[in-house]
Amino acid sequence: MSSGARLRVFAAKLKARFAQDKENREFDEELWAHLQLLTEQYLRQGMPAEEASLAARRQFGNSSLVRERHREARSFLSLSAFWRDVRFEARQLARNPLFTAIAVSSLALGIGANTAIFSAAKRVLLDTLPVTNPHDLRLLTWVSGHQQPVPQVWGDVWSTDGGGLASNAFSYLVFQEMRKRTDAVRGLIAFKDVKMTANVDRHPELVSGELVSGGAFDILGLKPILGRLLNSADDAGPGKGPVAMISEGYWAACAMLALDAAAVAGSAGTDGSVSTSGPVDRAMRS
Amino acid sequence: MGGKKSEVLQGTLDLMILKTLHALGPLHGFGIARRIEQLSEDVLQLNEGTVYTSLLRLQQQGWIVSEWGTSENNRKARFYSVTRRGLKQLAVESENWERISGVIGRVLRLERQG
């Protein structure tokens, strides 16, 4: 039997599974009608009633066996037949390892790709940020005419439908002014991604960091695992007393290099300046 | 031809039923059994119940379909008819049968050599 035919038989059985009672009744009716017709035929040939009925049964064969086979063929009732099929398929697969390998690896690739895409999409689309009120967060954008209010290197600048420009890069002065308007927002956070050098136990390395305004963690409602978080007091002014925090992931990576955790917390510095702070909440890792 | 009747060969009943439905159009199980009995001229021993097993098999393969209707003597009956897929299958099976029976015929006609 071809695989297409096999599938059709399977579908027919599946359908029958849901209409079994009706099917059984109809099939009984069909057999009964057949026996009636045979009996009538013998009666017309002049047989006595009793003999005619017997002859009809003989001609028909074992009707209960037919019914049983019919029921079995229409359903998955026969478990032994099912296992026979499973074993047969398993042998077929074993006999044709190349086909099996291709089938299994296509399945694996398909399932794997879908899982990966879903995990990424879930993070971007479904999961919320691990902060106190994720739904209250807004990213501000300015829209202008053709002039460019901030240098392009500050952040993304894109064209609007009206032929103007838009960006979410603001100057620090604008940020400071906007922060004063406490009637409009509960809190304002400035951030900018930067590459910086971290000296861990006197081993310098390039790390991806983020410059943030002091009140950021307060507004987001985060808690540190060790040490303290940045606060508004750390916004002393340009170049004055910069402080750094490291993520739990970075801390774990340093710990994996057999660096002393206390040393990590004590000596991680940026741009040569000393700073201390504990790793951020585990939830902020991503 | 008197004497012993031959059993219907395994698998050939399906082909016979398919061909019967193709030649005569929609029929109920009783009608199919009568037709095969008539054609076989009492050579074949057919348990008519097995016709239904075969009909189910053909339906599950999608080669025939069934529909309830009314028979000549005004009885409710299930009528079977060949599908397009069934026609294709019939062509394949017929050719197969011709080939095999041809081979068997030739083998049986072999003269003793040497």
Side-chain angles (χ1 to χ4, degrees):
Chain A
M1 212 189 292
S2 75
S3 61
R6 225 173 248 278
L7 203 66
R8 278 198 300 281
V9 171
F10 181 81
K13 285 185 178 186
L14 201 65
K15 204 173 140 204
R17 180 98 195 85
F18 295 101
Q20 210 156 41
D21 286 348
K22 186 164 174 270
E23 284 278 333
N24 285 343
R25 218 170 38 241
E26 285 183 346
F27 186 58
D28 288 350
E29 267 176 48
E30 201 177 359
L31 293 193
W32 186 80
H34 190 118
L35 277 169
Q36 280 301 108
L37 287 167
L38 269 179
T39 311
E40 281 166 25
Q41 181 184 299
Y42 286 122
L43 283 173
R44 274 201 302 279
Q45 287 170 9
M47 265 191 205
E50 209 162 298
E51 212 175 300
S53 154
L54 267 175
R57 278 172 207 288
R58 214 166 31 241
Q59 175 86 357
F60 193 81
N62 187 340
S63 68
S64 56
L65 186 68
V66 168
R67 269 158 64 189
E68 199 175 299
R69 280 216 196 119
H70 208 268
R71 247 151 247 207
E72 199 171 289
R74 261 193 291 119
S75 67
F76 301 105
L77 280 182
S78 164
L79 223 61
S80 64
F82 173 74
W83 284 115
R84 207 168 52 227
D85 281 358
V86 169
R87 278 201 300 275
F88 172 74
E89 290 298 341
R91 271 203 307 279
Q92 292 287 98
L93 289 176
R95 198 171 297 159
N96 205 338
L98 182 66
F99 171 79
T100 309
I102 292 171
V104 168
S105 47
S106 344
L107 277 174
L109 282 175
I111 294 168
N114 277 305
T115 310
I117 291 169
F118 177 74
S119 312
K122 178 173 173 285
R123 231 180 233 188
V124 174
L125 301 174
L126 302 176
D127 287 357
T128 50
L129 287 173
V131 300
T132 317
N133 292 313
H135 299 293
D136 290 349
L137 293 177
R138 296 290 181 275
L139 185 64
L140 299 183
T141 301
W142 55 251
V143 180
S144 81
H146 291 289
Q147 73 273 34
Q148 192 145 316
V150 298
Q152 204 140 15
V153 289
W154 282 15
D156 294 333
V157 178
W158 62 92
S159 316
T160 62
D161 291 340
L165 293 167
S167 171
N168 39 42
F170 292 82
S171 75
Y172 191 62
L173 289 174
V174 170
F175 167 69
Q176 280 177 316
E177 279 309 306
M178 280 165 65
R179 191 155 58 171
K180 287 179 191 156
R181 293 288 305 274
T182 48
D183 55 326
V185 290
R186 223 174 302 154
L188 209 57
I189 300 170
F191 60 94
K192 170 85 184 107
D193 56 316
V194 286
K195 290 276 183 202
M196 50 179 103
T197 310
N199 281 303
V200 183
D201 238 2
R202 291 185 301 280
H203 297 292
E205 63 171 349
L206 194 64
V207 294
S208 296
E210 196 90 28
L211 294 171
V212 296
S213 54
F217 296 97
D218 230 11
I219 295 166
L220 294 174
L222 295 173
K223 290 188 172 54
I225 294 174
L226 278 176
R228 68 169 179 88
L229 293 172
L230 304 184
N231 56 42
S232 311
D234 292 317
D235 283 346
K240 279 185 198 153
V243 188
M245 279 168 40
I246 58 172
S247 68
E248 192 205 358
Y250 186 63
W251 181 69
C254 293
M256 251 178 19
L257 296 172
L259 298 167
D260 180 28
V264 174
S267 71
T270 62
D271 301 321
S273 54
V274 182
S275 58
T276 61
S277 201
V280 188
D281 201 309
R282 176 190 302 268
M284 277 299 277
R285 224 172 359 170
S286 57
Chain B
M1 187 169 167
K4 270 167 112 189
K5 287 184 176 183
S6 310
E7 290 278 330
V8 176
L9 268 180
Q10 181 96 39
T12 54
L13 185 57
D14 290 13
L15 179 56
M16 285 195 278
I17 290 178
L18 211 53
K19 182 63 199 177
T20 306
L21 290 176
H22 173 235
L24 300 180
L27 276 178
H28 44 63
F30 182 78
I32 295 170
R34 292 287 69 71
R35 182 63 183 166
I36 292 177
E37 183 187 47
Q38 191 186 346
L39 285 174
S40 82
E41 293 170 339
D42 284 341
V43 173
L44 286 179
Q45 164 73 46
L46 176 69
N47 275 338
E48 295 184 12
T50 57
V51 166
Y52 290 94
T53 318
S54 185
L55 282 171
L56 177 66
R57 216 164 27 228
L58 293 169
Q59 276 191 97
Q60 286 187 334
Q61 310 265 22
W63 296 338
I64 62 172
V65 286
S66 70
E67 198 178 24
W68 285 94
T70 319
S71 67
E72 317 79 74
N73 47 14
N74 259 337
R75 277 220 182 90
K76 198 178 148 210
R78 203 202 284 258
F79 285 85
Y80 298 86
S81 51
V82 189
T83 63
R84 203 197 302 229
R85 203 185 280 145
L87 286 180
K88 268 190 218 153
Q89 186 64 19
L90 178 60
V92 172
E93 297 265 339
S94 307
E95 199 204 313
N96 213 10
W97 175 258
E98 304 268 348
R99 213 170 44 228
I100 289 171
S101 59
V103 169
I104 291 178
R106 279 201 300 281
V107 169
L108 293 180
R109 280 195 300 277
L110 274 180
E111 295 290 330
R112 196 187 160 94
Q113 306 270 314

